[in-house]
Amino acid sequence: MADGVLVRRTLAGEKRAFDELVLRYQRPAIAVAYRLLGKSDDALEIVQEALLKSYRSLGTLQKPEAFAGWLMRIVSNLSLNFRRGRKTRSSLPLNDLLDSAGEHDPQAGGDSVDPERVAEGRELGARLKLALDELPEKQRMAIMLFTMEQLPQKQVAEAMECSVEAVKWHVFQGRKKLKELLKDVV
Amino acid sequence: MLPDRDQLEYAISQYLDGTLSVMDRRVLEERLAADAEARLMLEDYRRLDERVIAGSRLNLPINYDRFAAHVSAQIDNEPAHVAGPLAMPGMAMGVWVRRFAIAAGVVMAVGIGMHFIPQGPTASHPAGSMVVIGPAVETNSGGGTISISYGPTDALRERGVAMSLVDDAIASHSPRVVISASDQPASGADDRLY
Protein backbone atom coordinates (compact mmCIF):
# COMPACT_ATOMS: atom_id res chain seq x y z
CA MET A 1 0.00 0.00 0.00
CA ALA A 2 1.39 3.40 -0.98
CA ASP A 3 2.61 5.81 1.70
CA GLY A 4 0.03 8.39 0.61
CA VAL A 5 -2.83 5.94 1.23
CA LEU A 6 -1.49 5.08 4.69
CA VAL A 7 -1.14 8.76 5.56
CA ARG A 8 -4.73 9.45 4.45
CA ARG A 9 -6.02 6.50 6.42
CA THR A 10 -4.20 7.69 9.51
CA LEU A 11 -5.69 11.14 9.03
CA ALA A 12 -9.12 9.52 8.75
CA GLY A 13 -8.62 8.17 12.27
CA GLU A 14 -7.14 4.74 11.49
CA LYS A 15 -4.14 4.54 13.84
CA ARG A 16 -3.06 1.10 12.64
CA ALA A 17 -2.23 2.59 9.24
CA PHE A 18 0.48 4.62 10.96
CA ASP A 19 1.93 1.40 12.44
CA GLU A 20 2.56 0.27 8.89
CA LEU A 21 4.50 3.46 8.19
CA VAL A 22 6.54 2.90 11.36
CA LEU A 23 7.42 -0.65 10.29
CA ARG A 24 8.35 0.60 6.85
CA TYR A 25 10.66 3.45 7.86
CA GLN A 26 11.97 2.70 11.34
CA ARG A 27 15.17 1.04 10.07
CA PRO A 28 16.37 3.84 7.77
CA ALA A 29 15.27 6.41 10.36
CA ILE A 30 17.24 4.71 13.14
CA ALA A 31 20.23 4.28 10.84
CA VAL A 32 20.23 8.00 9.94
CA ALA A 33 19.92 9.03 13.59
CA TYR A 34 22.62 6.57 14.60
CA ARG A 35 25.01 7.86 11.94
CA LEU A 36 24.45 11.40 13.17
CA LEU A 37 24.61 10.61 16.86
CA GLY A 38 26.93 7.61 17.13
CA LYS A 39 24.92 5.91 19.88
CA SER A 40 22.09 3.48 19.37
CA ASP A 41 20.15 4.47 22.50
CA ASP A 42 20.26 8.14 21.46
CA ALA A 43 19.17 7.13 17.97
CA LEU A 44 16.18 5.19 19.36
CA GLU A 45 15.16 8.11 21.54
CA ILE A 46 15.31 10.54 18.63
CA VAL A 47 13.45 8.28 16.21
CA GLN A 48 10.71 7.61 18.73
CA GLU A 49 10.33 11.36 19.22
CA ALA A 50 10.38 11.92 15.45
CA LEU A 51 7.67 9.31 14.86
CA LEU A 52 5.42 10.80 17.53
CA LYS A 53 6.03 14.27 16.17
CA SER A 54 5.23 13.12 12.65
CA TYR A 55 2.00 11.47 13.86
CA ARG A 56 0.90 14.63 15.67
CA SER A 57 1.64 16.95 12.76
CA LEU A 58 0.61 14.59 9.96
CA GLY A 59 -2.21 16.95 9.03
CA THR A 60 0.32 19.61 8.05
CA LEU A 61 1.99 17.33 5.48
CA GLN A 62 1.14 18.91 2.12
CA LYS A 63 1.90 15.85 -0.02
CA PRO A 64 1.03 12.58 1.75
CA GLU A 65 3.17 10.69 -0.79
CA ALA A 66 6.23 12.55 0.49
CA PHE A 67 5.96 11.03 3.98
CA ALA A 68 9.32 9.22 3.89
CA GLY A 69 11.35 12.31 2.99
CA TRP A 70 9.41 14.37 5.51
CA LEU A 71 10.06 11.85 8.29
CA MET A 72 13.77 11.74 7.45
CA ARG A 73 13.85 15.51 7.64
CA ILE A 74 12.32 15.41 11.13
CA VAL A 75 14.78 12.69 12.18
CA SER A 76 17.80 14.57 10.87
CA ASN A 77 16.70 17.91 12.34
CA LEU A 78 16.05 16.38 15.76
CA SER A 79 19.36 14.49 15.60
CA LEU A 80 21.33 17.58 14.67
CA ASN A 81 19.66 19.62 17.42
CA PHE A 82 20.35 16.83 19.91
CA ARG A 83 23.94 16.67 18.77
CA ARG A 84 24.43 20.43 19.03
CA GLY A 85 22.94 20.39 22.53
CA ARG A 86 25.21 17.55 23.50
CA LYS A 87 28.21 19.40 22.10
CA THR A 88 27.41 22.41 24.22
CA ARG A 89 27.34 20.24 27.35
CA SER A 90 30.55 18.40 26.54
CA SER A 91 32.31 17.87 23.27
CA LEU A 92 31.72 14.48 21.68
CA PRO A 93 34.71 12.37 22.73
CA LEU A 94 36.56 10.53 20.01
CA ASN A 95 36.41 7.18 21.77
CA ASP A 96 32.63 7.55 21.85
CA LEU A 97 32.69 7.30 18.08
CA LEU A 98 35.23 4.52 18.10
CA ASP A 99 33.35 2.47 20.70
CA SER A 100 30.20 2.54 18.65
CA ALA A 101 32.19 1.20 15.72
CA GLY A 102 31.80 -2.12 17.49
CA GLU A 103 28.22 -2.11 16.28
CA HIS A 104 29.31 -2.24 12.64
CA ASP A 105 29.30 -5.66 11.13
CA PRO A 106 29.86 -6.08 7.43
CA GLN A 107 28.70 -9.66 7.73
CA ALA A 108 25.31 -8.66 9.13
CA GLY A 109 22.78 -11.39 8.55
CA GLY A 110 25.36 -13.83 7.21
CA ASP A 111 25.67 -17.33 8.60
CA SER A 112 29.42 -17.76 8.28
CA VAL A 113 31.42 -14.97 9.91
CA ASP A 114 35.03 -14.46 8.94
CA PRO A 115 36.63 -12.70 11.97
CA GLU A 116 39.22 -11.03 9.77
CA ARG A 117 36.56 -9.52 7.54
CA VAL A 118 34.52 -8.47 10.57
CA ALA A 119 37.55 -6.67 12.00
CA GLU A 120 38.23 -5.07 8.64
CA GLY A 121 34.63 -3.95 8.38
CA ARG A 122 34.73 -2.46 11.87
CA GLU A 123 37.89 -0.56 11.06
CA LEU A 124 36.36 0.70 7.82
CA GLY A 125 33.14 1.65 9.60
CA ALA A 126 35.05 3.66 12.19
CA ARG A 127 37.08 5.46 9.52
CA LEU A 128 33.98 6.18 7.50
CA LYS A 129 32.23 7.61 10.52
CA LEU A 130 35.10 9.98 11.19
CA ALA A 131 35.32 10.95 7.53
CA LEU A 132 31.58 11.66 7.40
CA ASP A 133 31.97 13.96 10.37
CA GLU A 134 34.41 16.02 8.32
CA LEU A 135 31.86 16.69 5.60
CA PRO A 136 29.64 19.77 5.54
CA GLU A 137 26.13 18.97 6.79
CA LYS A 138 24.40 18.85 3.39
CA GLN A 139 27.03 16.61 1.83
CA ARG A 140 26.92 14.28 4.82
CA MET A 141 23.13 14.04 4.66
CA ALA A 142 23.18 13.42 0.91
CA ILE A 143 25.78 10.64 1.23
CA MET A 144 24.02 9.09 4.21
CA LEU A 145 20.54 9.07 2.74
CA PHE A 146 21.39 8.34 -0.87
CA THR A 147 24.57 6.24 -0.88
CA MET A 148 24.30 4.53 2.49
CA GLU A 149 20.56 4.19 3.06
CA GLN A 150 19.93 4.01 -0.69
CA LEU A 151 16.80 6.13 -0.57
CA PRO A 152 15.56 7.41 -3.95
CA GLN A 153 16.93 10.84 -4.85
CA LYS A 154 13.43 12.32 -4.76
CA GLN A 155 13.00 11.27 -1.11
CA VAL A 156 16.44 12.59 -0.28
CA ALA A 157 15.51 15.90 -1.92
CA GLU A 158 12.33 16.04 0.18
CA ALA A 159 14.27 15.23 3.33
CA MET A 160 16.84 17.90 2.58
CA GLU A 161 14.32 20.44 1.27
CA CYS A 162 16.21 20.94 -1.96
CA SER A 163 15.98 19.93 -5.60
CA VAL A 164 17.03 16.55 -7.02
CA GLU A 165 19.78 18.37 -8.93
CA ALA A 166 21.11 19.78 -5.67
CA VAL A 167 21.12 16.25 -4.18
CA LYS A 168 23.22 15.02 -7.12
CA TRP A 169 25.64 17.88 -6.57
CA HIS A 170 25.92 17.30 -2.80
CA VAL A 171 26.48 13.56 -3.37
CA PHE A 172 29.22 14.38 -5.85
CA GLN A 173 30.92 16.91 -3.60
CA GLY A 174 30.67 14.52 -0.66
CA ARG A 175 32.17 11.71 -2.71
CA LYS A 176 35.06 13.90 -3.80
CA LYS A 177 35.89 14.74 -0.19
CA LEU A 178 35.46 11.15 1.01
CA LYS A 179 37.80 9.97 -1.74
CA GLU A 180 40.43 12.29 -0.33
CA LEU A 181 39.74 11.47 3.32
CA LEU A 182 39.65 7.71 2.78
CA LYS A 183 42.38 7.46 0.15
CA ASP A 184 44.47 5.07 2.27
CA VAL A 185 41.62 2.58 2.68
CA VAL A 186 40.07 2.83 -0.77
CA MET B 1 31.18 17.58 -24.56
CA LEU B 2 33.04 17.16 -21.27
CA PRO B 3 35.63 19.91 -21.32
CA ASP B 4 37.19 19.80 -17.87
CA ARG B 5 38.05 17.41 -15.10
CA ASP B 6 35.38 18.68 -12.67
CA GLN B 7 32.62 18.16 -15.19
CA LEU B 8 34.02 14.75 -16.04
CA GLU B 9 34.05 13.76 -12.35
CA TYR B 10 30.51 15.05 -11.87
CA ALA B 11 29.34 13.07 -14.89
CA ILE B 12 31.08 9.95 -13.54
CA SER B 13 29.39 10.42 -10.16
CA GLN B 14 25.98 10.55 -11.84
CA TYR B 15 26.90 7.67 -14.12
CA LEU B 16 27.57 5.50 -11.08
CA ASP B 17 24.19 6.48 -9.62
CA GLY B 18 22.42 5.81 -12.90
CA THR B 19 21.06 9.35 -13.00
CA LEU B 20 22.91 10.64 -16.06
CA SER B 21 20.72 11.55 -19.04
CA VAL B 22 20.79 9.24 -22.06
CA MET B 23 22.63 11.84 -24.14
CA ASP B 24 25.26 12.59 -21.47
CA ARG B 25 25.67 8.90 -20.80
CA ARG B 26 26.51 8.28 -24.44
CA VAL B 27 29.01 11.14 -24.45
CA LEU B 28 30.64 9.85 -21.26
CA GLU B 29 30.86 6.30 -22.54
CA GLU B 30 32.60 7.55 -25.68
CA ARG B 31 35.03 9.47 -23.48
CA LEU B 32 35.60 6.42 -21.26
CA ALA B 33 36.34 4.27 -24.29
CA ALA B 34 38.99 6.73 -25.47
CA ASP B 35 40.44 8.09 -22.22
CA ALA B 36 42.38 5.84 -19.82
CA GLU B 37 42.46 8.54 -17.13
CA ALA B 38 38.68 8.80 -17.21
CA ARG B 39 38.41 5.02 -16.82
CA LEU B 40 40.73 5.16 -13.83
CA MET B 41 38.62 7.91 -12.28
CA LEU B 42 35.48 5.81 -12.76
CA GLU B 43 37.19 2.86 -11.15
CA ASP B 44 38.27 5.00 -8.16
CA TYR B 45 34.73 6.23 -7.57
CA ARG B 46 33.28 2.75 -7.99
CA ARG B 47 35.71 1.39 -5.39
CA LEU B 48 34.92 4.28 -3.03
CA ASP B 49 31.20 3.55 -3.28
CA GLU B 50 31.79 -0.14 -2.56
CA ARG B 51 33.85 0.74 0.50
CA VAL B 52 31.33 3.29 1.73
CA ILE B 53 28.50 0.78 1.40
CA ALA B 54 30.56 -1.98 3.05
CA GLY B 55 31.60 0.32 5.89
CA SER B 56 28.11 1.64 6.43
CA ARG B 57 26.37 -1.67 7.04
CA LEU B 58 24.87 -1.52 10.47
CA ASN B 59 24.05 -4.34 12.77
CA LEU B 60 22.63 -2.35 15.63
CA PRO B 61 21.55 -4.32 18.69
CA ILE B 62 17.95 -3.28 18.26
CA ASN B 63 14.81 -5.38 18.38
CA TYR B 64 12.88 -3.57 15.67
CA ASP B 65 9.62 -5.43 16.31
CA ARG B 66 9.67 -4.39 19.93
CA PHE B 67 10.54 -0.83 19.02
CA ALA B 68 7.62 -0.67 16.56
CA ALA B 69 5.27 -2.11 19.22
CA HIS B 70 6.51 0.50 21.70
CA VAL B 71 5.85 3.34 19.26
CA SER B 72 2.45 1.86 18.43
CA ALA B 73 1.52 1.85 22.14
CA GLN B 74 2.51 5.50 22.38
CA ILE B 75 0.44 6.35 19.33
CA ASP B 76 -2.50 4.63 21.05
CA ASN B 77 -2.21 7.18 23.84
CA GLU B 78 -2.46 10.00 21.30
CA PRO B 79 -5.84 11.29 20.16
CA ALA B 80 -6.91 9.87 16.80
CA HIS B 81 -6.94 12.26 13.86
CA VAL B 82 -10.33 13.55 12.90
CA ALA B 83 -10.97 13.16 9.17
CA GLY B 84 -9.70 16.33 7.49
CA PRO B 85 -9.50 17.41 3.86
CA LEU B 86 -6.51 15.17 3.13
CA ALA B 87 -8.00 12.12 4.80
CA MET B 88 -9.86 10.92 1.72
CA PRO B 89 -8.66 11.49 -1.85
CA GLY B 90 -12.04 12.89 -2.90
CA MET B 91 -11.96 15.35 -0.04
CA ALA B 92 -8.67 16.76 -1.27
CA MET B 93 -10.87 18.57 -3.78
CA GLY B 94 -12.03 20.72 -0.90
CA VAL B 95 -8.56 22.22 -0.74
CA TRP B 96 -8.81 23.29 -4.39
CA VAL B 97 -12.32 24.66 -3.95
CA ARG B 98 -11.09 26.72 -1.01
CA ARG B 99 -8.10 27.98 -3.01
CA PHE B 100 -10.35 28.85 -5.96
CA ALA B 101 -12.74 30.74 -3.67
CA ILE B 102 -9.85 32.74 -2.21
CA ALA B 103 -8.51 33.55 -5.70
CA ALA B 104 -11.99 34.59 -6.92
CA GLY B 105 -12.41 36.83 -3.87
CA VAL B 106 -9.08 38.53 -4.55
CA VAL B 107 -10.00 39.13 -8.21
CA MET B 108 -13.37 40.61 -7.22
CA ALA B 109 -11.83 42.85 -4.59
CA VAL B 110 -9.22 44.15 -7.06
CA GLY B 111 -11.91 44.69 -9.72
CA ILE B 112 -14.16 46.63 -7.37
CA GLY B 113 -11.21 48.64 -6.12
CA MET B 114 -10.15 49.58 -9.64
CA HIS B 115 -13.69 50.59 -10.50
CA PHE B 116 -13.67 53.22 -7.79
CA ILE B 117 -10.18 54.53 -8.45
CA PRO B 118 -10.55 57.87 -10.27
CA GLN B 119 -9.14 57.61 -13.78
CA GLY B 120 -7.29 60.66 -15.09
CA PRO B 121 -7.38 61.68 -18.71
CA THR B 122 -5.10 59.75 -21.03
CA ALA B 123 -4.31 59.98 -24.71
CA SER B 124 -6.85 57.31 -25.55
CA HIS B 125 -9.42 58.43 -22.98
CA PRO B 126 -9.65 62.21 -23.44
CA ALA B 127 -11.71 64.03 -20.87
CA GLY B 128 -13.62 67.14 -21.57
CA SER B 129 -16.61 69.20 -20.52
CA MET B 130 -19.66 70.29 -22.40
CA VAL B 131 -21.93 73.21 -21.73
CA VAL B 132 -25.45 72.87 -22.94
CA ILE B 133 -27.49 76.00 -23.19
CA GLY B 134 -31.09 75.77 -24.03
CA PRO B 135 -33.53 74.67 -25.10
CA ALA B 136 -34.10 77.73 -27.21
CA VAL B 137 -35.97 78.22 -30.40
CA GLU B 138 -33.68 79.10 -33.23
CA THR B 139 -34.88 80.38 -36.51
CA ASN B 140 -33.52 78.73 -39.56
CA SER B 141 -33.50 80.49 -42.83
CA GLY B 142 -32.07 77.71 -44.95
CA GLY B 143 -30.93 74.11 -45.15
CA GLY B 144 -28.56 72.58 -42.61
CA THR B 145 -26.47 69.47 -41.97
CA ILE B 146 -26.18 67.23 -39.02
CA SER B 147 -23.15 64.98 -39.22
CA ILE B 148 -22.67 62.00 -36.99
CA SER B 149 -19.44 60.14 -37.41
CA TYR B 150 -18.30 57.06 -35.56
CA GLY B 151 -14.83 55.62 -35.84
CA PRO B 152 -11.35 55.40 -34.38
CA THR B 153 -9.87 58.18 -32.37
CA ASP B 154 -7.61 60.64 -34.08
CA ALA B 155 -4.61 59.00 -32.48
CA LEU B 156 -5.49 55.65 -34.00
CA ARG B 157 -6.22 57.13 -37.36
CA GLU B 158 -2.90 58.96 -37.34
CA ARG B 159 -1.19 55.66 -36.72
CA GLY B 160 -2.82 54.35 -39.88
CA VAL B 161 -4.95 51.66 -38.30
CA ALA B 162 -6.79 49.89 -41.06
CA MET B 163 -10.56 50.10 -40.85
CA SER B 164 -10.78 46.32 -40.58
CA LEU B 165 -9.02 46.61 -37.24
CA VAL B 166 -11.21 49.35 -35.94
CA ASP B 167 -13.58 46.96 -34.18
CA ASP B 168 -10.66 45.45 -32.30
CA ALA B 169 -9.25 48.85 -31.58
CA ILE B 170 -12.56 50.02 -30.20
CA ALA B 171 -12.42 47.25 -27.66
CA SER B 172 -9.36 48.79 -26.08
CA HIS B 173 -9.64 52.45 -27.11
CA SER B 174 -12.48 54.83 -26.72
CA PRO B 175 -14.37 55.14 -30.00
CA ARG B 176 -14.80 58.54 -31.37
CA VAL B 177 -18.39 59.72 -31.78
CA VAL B 178 -18.74 63.18 -33.20
CA ILE B 179 -22.03 64.95 -33.67
CA SER B 180 -21.81 68.27 -35.39
CA ALA B 181 -24.39 70.60 -36.77
CA SER B 182 -24.00 73.23 -39.37
CA ASP B 183 -26.34 75.66 -41.02
CA GLN B 184 -24.56 75.03 -44.28
CA PRO B 185 -25.95 72.41 -46.63
CA ALA B 186 -23.85 69.33 -47.29
CA SER B 187 -21.21 69.98 -49.89
CA GLY B 188 -18.66 67.10 -49.93
CA ALA B 189 -19.14 63.53 -51.07
CA ASP B 190 -18.17 62.24 -47.63
CA ASP B 191 -20.76 64.29 -45.82
CA ARG B 192 -23.72 62.02 -45.76
CA LEU B 193 -27.07 62.72 -44.26
CA TYR B 194 -28.71 60.09 -42.10
Side-chain angles (χ1 to χ4, degrees):
Chain A
M1 197 177 290
D3 289 357
V5 176
L6 292 170
V7 168
R8 288 190 179 94
R9 285 191 171 185
T10 307
L11 288 172
E14 199 183 316
K15 286 184 177 180
R16 297 288 73 87
F18 194 77
D19 289 349
E20 184 60 37
L21 290 167
V22 172
L23 286 172
R24 200 171 284 182
Y25 294 111
Q26 60 176 347
R27 277 175 186 268
I30 290 170
V32 166
Y34 174 77
R35 289 186 208 288
L36 289 170
L37 299 169
K39 283 183 170 180
S40 44
D41 50 350
D42 287 349
L44 285 180
E45 191 185 322
I46 289 298
V47 172
Q48 178 184 295
E49 191 182 334
L51 286 166
L52 282 172
K53 196 171 178 179
S54 71
Y55 174 79
R56 288 177 192 139
S57 46
L58 202 58
T60 66
L61 179 61
Q62 296 287 316
K63 288 186 282 179
E65 298 73 24
F67 175 81
W70 182 66
L71 175 66
M72 292 304 162
R73 189 161 76 229
I74 296 173
V75 169
S76 55
N77 286 343
L78 287 176
S79 301
L80 292 171
N81 287 343
F82 185 91
R83 193 163 126 146
R84 283 182 200 118
R86 190 167 61 183
K87 273 186 177 171
T88 58
R89 287 195 297 272
S90 61
S91 65
L92 198 62
L94 189 64
N95 64 357
D96 194 12
L97 290 173
L98 293 172
D99 282 344
S100 56
E103 291 172 334
H104 288 271
D105 183 355
Q107 295 289 315
D111 293 331
S112 60
V113 178
D114 175 354
E116 204 172 307
R117 286 192 68 185
V118 172
E120 191 191 334
R122 282 178 181 164
E123 165 67 17
L124 183 61
R127 287 293 310 278
L128 181 61
K129 205 175 234 185
L130 291 171
L132 276 173
D133 251 19
E134 297 281 308
L135 300 186
E137 209 162 285
K138 290 198 171 191
Q139 292 172 18
R140 184 171 59 231
M141 283 302 296
I143 292 281
M144 270 177 11
L145 296 174
F146 180 68
T147 309
M148 296 178 163
E149 295 311 317
Q150 304 191 333
L151 295 179
Q153 280 185 338
K154 199 165 178 287
Q155 275 183 22
V156 178
E158 280 154 3
M160 293 177 63
E161 290 184 282
C162 65
S163 66
V164 167
E165 285 307 311
V167 170
K168 287 181 190 176
W169 182 252
H170 291 315
V171 167
F172 166 56
Q173 292 294 324
R175 267 191 186 128
K176 256 175 98 169
K177 288 207 178 76
L178 283 180
K179 193 160 81 125
E180 195 54 38
L181 291 164
L182 299 171
K183 62 184 169 198
D184 55 323
V185 289
V186 172
Chain B
M1 191 66 185
L2 295 162
D4 65 35
R5 190 186 160 87
D6 259 3
Q7 280 178 297
L8 175 63
E9 276 191 278
Y10 187 31
I12 284 173
S13 174
Q14 293 175 80
Y15 183 74
L16 278 174
D17 298 335
T19 57
L20 206 56
S21 72
V22 178
M23 180 86 85
D24 289 342
R25 191 184 169 91
R26 200 177 308 144
V27 172
L28 178 63
E29 282 170 350
E30 278 169 19
R31 171 83 178 255
L32 288 168
D35 184 343
E37 196 191 346
R39 284 198 299 275
L40 198 64
M41 203 185 280
L42 172 66
E43 208 37 57
D44 281 351
Y45 275 108
R46 189 169 277 154
R47 210 176 312 121
L48 172 73
D49 260 19
E50 282 170 8
R51 301 297 277 165
V52 168
I53 291 167
S56 63
R57 280 184 200 134
L58 294 175
N59 185 22
L60 300 174
I62 290 168
N63 184 329
Y64 289 96
D65 290 339
R66 215 160 58 199
F67 177 74
H70 179 68
V71 173
S72 178
Q74 287 191 307
I75 297 292
D76 278 342
N77 292 332
E78 295 285 323
H81 283 279
V82 180
L86 280 177
M88 303 297 287
M91 290 177 76
M93 284 292 289
V95 174
W96 289 105
V97 170
R98 203 162 56 232
R99 285 179 185 168
F100 180 76
I102 291 167
V106 169
V107 168
M108 281 176 67
V110 169
I112 290 168
M114 287 184 71
H115 180 76
F116 286 106
I117 291 172
Q119 304 271 324
T122 63
S124 59
H125 294 83
S129 60
M130 182 169 64
V131 178
V132 178
I133 301 169
V137 178
E138 291 182 16
T139 54
N140 187 3
S141 57
T145 308
I146 295 174
S147 168
I148 302 173
S149 63
Y150 177 84
T153 59
D154 291 340
L156 276 177
R157 196 163 49 203
E158 278 164 19
R159 274 185 272 151
V161 176
M163 286 307 285
S164 60
L165 294 176
V166 165
D167 286 346
D168 292 337
I170 284 168
S172 56
H173 294 82
S174 294
R176 191 183 70 139
V177 179
V178 177
I179 303 173
S180 61
S182 164
D183 60 356
Q184 297 300 311
S187 57
D190 289 337
D191 298 327
R192 292 171 193 162
L193 290 172
Y194 292 93

